[in-house]
Amino acid sequence: MTKTLDLTPDELLTTTRTVRKRLDLERPVPMELIRECIEIALQAPSGSNRQTWHWLVITDAEKRAAIGEYYRQAVEQYLASSGSAGKLHADDPERGPVQRRVGDSVAYLGERMGQVPVLVIPCLQVRSLPAGNQAGLWGSILPAAWSYMLAARARGLGTAWTTLHFTFEQEISELLGLPEDIRQTVLIPTAYTIGTNFKPAPRQPLDDVLHVNGW
Ligand SMILES: Cc1cc2nc3c(=O)[nH]c(=O)nc-3n(C[C@H](O)[C@H](O)[C@H](O)COP(=O)(O)O)c2cc1C
């Protein structure tokens, strides 16, 4: 196992940020490191212990560029929409500037997704999506995806949880030759970070969202 950064569990959990501008696009990432992170991710919970997860790791430059172009187009559409991060809470003196920084950062990654050395897409094998409760379904892959990101952070790698590529879900599935019953969950660009110091982010107060013994 690779030597990890000197972080306590709480530090790891509170400093695993969405990294966009500090992804090192030039430094190659050894496949062994990605394998290690996925190996750790496989320890996450899965409904009925089915483990019907699959992990797509894309390092091929042409395929990354093709996914990057789909992502760029999706981000362009997103940034033009009224719900994009940079436009939320525009009149709030505290949240507005943070949101504008997020919007700026999303745009930055939008132009560079295809240059990130490794793209990871955790997938779930599922025949059809149920109309009702889907939490049990996605709950069998999303915790594992987050574990992957934590393991990456512990090894000096940066990641970002991205979903805008879903605008072109079908096209990307075809590009990667995914079988019909394999659903993508999240597109995780992965690269060494420029510097390894990251801070906890501002969040809304706990008491605004905490409900003890009922709403
Ligand atoms: C469901 C979900 C979808 C997201 N999609 C994107 C995305 O497509 N592109 C992107 O740059 N960031 C995306 N993000 C990252 C959020 O913008 C980010 O988590 C948020 O701004 C808080 O920043 P932090 O993760 O550094 O604390 C997504 C996050 C979540 C949870």
Side-chain angles (χ1 to χ4, degrees), residues 130-174:
N133 172 23
Q134 291 197 353
L137 188 73
W138 298 116
S140 289
I141 183 67
L142 301 183
W146 180 236
S147 288
Y148 167 82
M149 292 165 75
L150 292 169
R153 159 81 175 127
R155 284 158 179 76
L157 299 173
T159 59
W161 190 284
T162 79
T163 52
L164 288 170
H165 69 293
F166 273 108
T167 309
F168 299 101
E169 179 182 13
Q170 192 58 36
E171 288 84 348
I172 294 174
S173 286
E174 280 170 24

Side-chain angles (χ1 to χ4, degrees), residues 16-18 20 71 102 106 109 160-165 201 203:
T16 301
R17 296 268 70 77
T18 298
R20 303 185 189 89
Y71 188 78
V102 173
V106 170
L109 181 60
W161 190 284
T162 79
T163 52
L164 288 170
H165 69 293
R203 290 292 197 246

Side-chain angles (χ1 to χ4, degrees), residues 12-124:
L12 179 67
L13 288 164
T14 56
T15 66
T16 301
R17 296 268 70 77
T18 298
V19 186
R20 303 185 189 89
K21 292 188 173 177
R22 289 174 60 190
L23 293 172
D24 187 338
L25 303 178
E26 306 302 327
R27 188 171 166 196
V29 178
M31 183 55 109
E32 198 45 44
L33 213 48
I34 302 294
R35 287 180 62 92
E36 246 179 60
C37 296
I38 298 176
E39 190 88 62
I40 287 168
L42 298 186
Q43 292 294 323
S46 104
S48 303
N49 196 24
R50 282 202 184 90
Q51 303 175 50
T52 45
W53 42 39
H54 291 267
W55 298 75
L56 263 287
V57 178
I58 300 110
T59 57
D60 176 79
E62 274 182 30
K63 286 190 175 155
R64 283 187 290 125
I67 294 169
E69 177 53 24
Y70 284 129
Y71 188 78
R72 190 194 66 70
Q73 288 177 39
V75 169
E76 199 172 74
Q77 288 174 26
Y78 166 77
L79 291 175
S81 71
S82 56
S84 71
K87 292 178 187 153
L88 300 179
H89 307 289
D91 299 331
D92 183 325
E94 269 183 32
R95 296 190 76 175
V98 175
Q99 291 301 130
R100 281 190 285 280
R101 277 201 299 279
V102 173
D104 187 47
S105 176
V106 170
Y108 177 92
L109 181 60
E111 293 297 326
R112 292 164 182 82
M113 182 65 91
Q115 299 167 39
V116 181
V118 182
L119 302 180
V120 174
I121 307 180
C123 296
L124 191 67

